[in-house]
Amino acid sequence: MRDGHIHSPYCPHGSSDALKTYIEEAIRAGYHSMTFTEHAPLPQSFIDPVPSQDSGMAYNQVKHYLEDLEQLKEMYKNDIHILKGMEVDYIQGYEEETKQLLNRFGPLLDDSILSVHFLKGKKGWYCIDFSPEMYKDAFQDLGGLEQLYQTYYRTLEMSVVSDLGLYKPKRIGHMTLVRKFRHLYPSPYNWHSYGSQFLDTVKAYNYELDYNGAGMKKPHCQETYPPLPLARQASSMGIPLIYGSDAHQSSALMQGIDAVDQKILKR
Ligand SMILES: [Zn+2]
Ligand SMILES: [Zn+2]
């Protein structure tokens, strides 16, 4: 069992479960490999649209986070393979600052994820997975759900294509996050074609996908990111899929795994 997307006590919006608690739980669950991917600090000039402004780790914490992981990696090396990573945001227009962050910390990272959580509307920025209210504000600003999906997939494309330097992550996080509130706000009828087109880009750039179980636990989503048909399509194209629990507490390791097609996972 490999889990390539795990948060930690360094997450300002997560739980305070200790790194050791995650690791012990992972060993109990039979993991052979786990990547901690704490939210990287957001670019300093970017204003987090989330009211509590806690979407990313504090910049001065990164050093401690990586030191703790290095220590635990050594301590547990006979039981489990621990990888050091971050979930880095792709924010359109902030590529230069993101590249600087990656140049600074990239040499210390083993395995990371690039994700899109923030989209720009006419009136400002939105964190699309923060709340149904912010999601609604986003699509109303953009002109509707269809436009929201278009913007999300255009931004995902840019995340793959953009130059973020030598240490740019090669795995794209939760590629259908825009569906998190789909039971409240149904996807446009043709949304699948956006996802499908995006797979062509992932394939062309030899990237990997985070096959993320967290959506299964979200009451308005109840499917994996991406859902089964897209995951199978990706697999048939030869795109590596890496399971991600996206756990923000130790008890959430393995979440959504029953809905994941385990035969197509890259271990
Ligand atoms: Zn988080
Ligand atoms: Zn994420």
Side-chain angles (χ1 to χ4, degrees):
M1 186 68 205
R2 171 180 176 194
D3 187 338
H5 191 158
I6 305 171
H7 292 274
S8 76
Y10 285 93
C11 179
H13 58 259
S15 73
S16 58
D17 287 1
L19 287 168
K20 268 192 176 181
T21 312
Y22 281 91
I23 297 166
E24 302 273 344
E25 182 60 37
I27 295 169
R28 232 187 334 268
Y31 281 29
H32 75 80
S33 160
M34 69 192 302
T35 306
F36 284 99
T37 51
E38 197 43 81
H39 294 283
L42 301 180
Q44 271 174 354
S45 67
F46 180 74
I47 298 168
D48 188 348
V50 169
S52 42
Q53 304 208 316
D54 60 355
S55 297
M57 177 171 30
Y59 194 87
N60 61 12
Q61 292 290 295
V62 179
K63 190 172 163 275
H64 302 294
Y65 166 68
L66 294 174
E67 282 169 2
D68 280 3
L69 285 182
E70 188 54 41
Q71 224 174 44
L72 292 163
K73 183 176 177 159
E74 179 63 24
M75 193 186 296
Y76 284 95
K77 69 177 177 199
N78 295 327
D79 302 308
I80 189 166
H81 189 206
I82 298 172
L83 295 119
K84 296 178 292 179
M86 292 203 280
E87 181 178 13
V88 178
D89 267 282
Y90 173 77
I91 308 178
Q92 191 190 344
Y94 291 81
E95 291 82 355
E96 215 28 64
E97 277 179 79
T98 307
K99 192 199 260 189
Q100 281 171 21
L101 178 99
L102 283 165
N103 286 343
R104 165 87 176 80
F105 296 111
L108 305 170
L109 303 175
D110 307 312
D111 179 39
S112 291
I113 292 181
L114 189 65
S115 296
V116 171
H117 304 98
F118 301 103
L119 294 182
K120 191 180 186 173
K122 298 182 193 82
K123 297 179 191 154
W125 286 90
Y126 302 92
C127 178
I128 57 158
D129 63 322
F130 175 67
S131 67
E133 292 72 28
M134 197 176 285
Y135 187 88
K136 188 179 177 196
D137 289 345
F139 74 72
Q140 286 186 335
D141 184 349
L142 286 162
L145 279 163
E146 174 87 41
Q147 285 82 353
L148 176 70
Y149 273 69
Q150 280 170 6
T151 306
Y152 176 71
Y153 279 100
R154 205 188 318 120
T155 310
L156 269 186
E157 292 279 343
M158 285 189 283
S159 77
V160 174
V161 172
S162 70
D163 171 20
L164 297 179
L166 210 53
Y167 300 101
K168 185 181 175 188
K170 296 288 183 288
R171 181 153 80 254
I172 301 299
H174 40 60
M175 63 158 278
T176 54
L177 187 65
V178 70
R179 275 167 66 78
K180 181 169 175 179
F181 304 112
R182 68 191 181 101
H183 288 322
L184 295 173
Y185 304 113
S187 302
Y189 75 95
N190 60 340
W191 83 271
H192 197 272
S193 67
Y194 298 140
S196 198
Q197 266 180 37
F198 178 63
L199 293 183
D200 291 337
T201 308
V202 173
K203 175 68 185 168
Y205 280 75
N206 273 315
Y207 274 38
E208 301 178 333
L209 289 176
D210 169 42
Y211 189 4
N212 188 307
M216 277 304 293
K217 300 293 166 188
K218 307 296 179 198
H220 305 301
C221 186
Q222 296 180 357
E223 67 179 21
T224 55
Y225 310 121
L228 201 52
L230 273 175
R232 288 189 172 143
Q233 192 178 326
S235 170
S236 72
M237 294 164 71
I239 297 171
L241 294 142
I242 288 87
Y243 168 69
S245 65
D246 207 346
H248 284 69
Q249 57 189 55
S250 59
S251 60
L253 293 173
M254 295 285 263
Q255 72 181 343
I257 193 71
D258 292 342
V260 162
D261 182 352
Q262 300 193 43
K263 294 188 297 296
I264 61 176
L265 286 177
K266 183 182 168 196
R267 311 262 173 185

